[in-house]
Amino acid sequence: MSTAANAPSKSSATPERSLNQRMDALQRANEVRSQRAALKRDLKSGRQSIDRLLMDPPEWLETAKVVDMLLAVPKYGRVRAGKILQQCRISASKTIGGLTPRQRAELVQSLRSPRG
């Protein structure tokens, strides 16, 4: 007897969604991407401050990776962003919403310091 016959089907793992639900999710995802792109432009131009965003992020920014936002800041490349994250003991895969209060405070302090 095959073990595959006893295994549950993969389709039972994810709920079925209607076309309207999928379209709504797609629209929300596109809005979030547009907002993040605008934010990255504002960070690059200096119109927006990264430390303020880290301390009080809008809901749509909470699922963004910290490293992606750091890379949008002028003078922060992969090496410098990686060093700061390592110094603050933050994983490169960490999202802004997943930061602990200690990590937020330490990261903001590191970004404000002249050595940054």
Side-chain angles (χ1 to χ4, degrees), residues 67-105:
V67 70
D68 291 340
M69 291 300 113
L70 286 177
L71 291 174
V73 177
K75 299 183 182 176
Y76 282 86
R78 290 227 174 261
V79 173
R80 182 178 272 180
K83 285 181 182 179
I84 287 176
L85 291 177
Q86 185 177 17
Q87 171 189 344
C88 297
R89 297 167 292 183
I90 299 172
S91 168
S93 62
K94 189 66 116 174
T95 62
I96 290 179
L99 291 172
T100 65
R102 177 205 56 86
Q103 289 172 323
R104 276 182 208 285

Side-chain angles (χ1 to χ4, degrees), residues 22-48:
R22 288 184 299 200
M23 295 307 289
D24 288 345
L26 181 61
Q27 182 179 0
R28 281 193 308 274
N30 285 333
E31 288 171 6
V32 167
R33 279 192 288 274
S34 295
Q35 289 172 315
R36 287 183 188 171
L39 174 63
K40 287 179 181 181
R41 283 191 299 272
D42 288 347
L43 285 169
K44 195 158 291 284
S45 70
R47 289 187 299 257
Q48 192 66 260

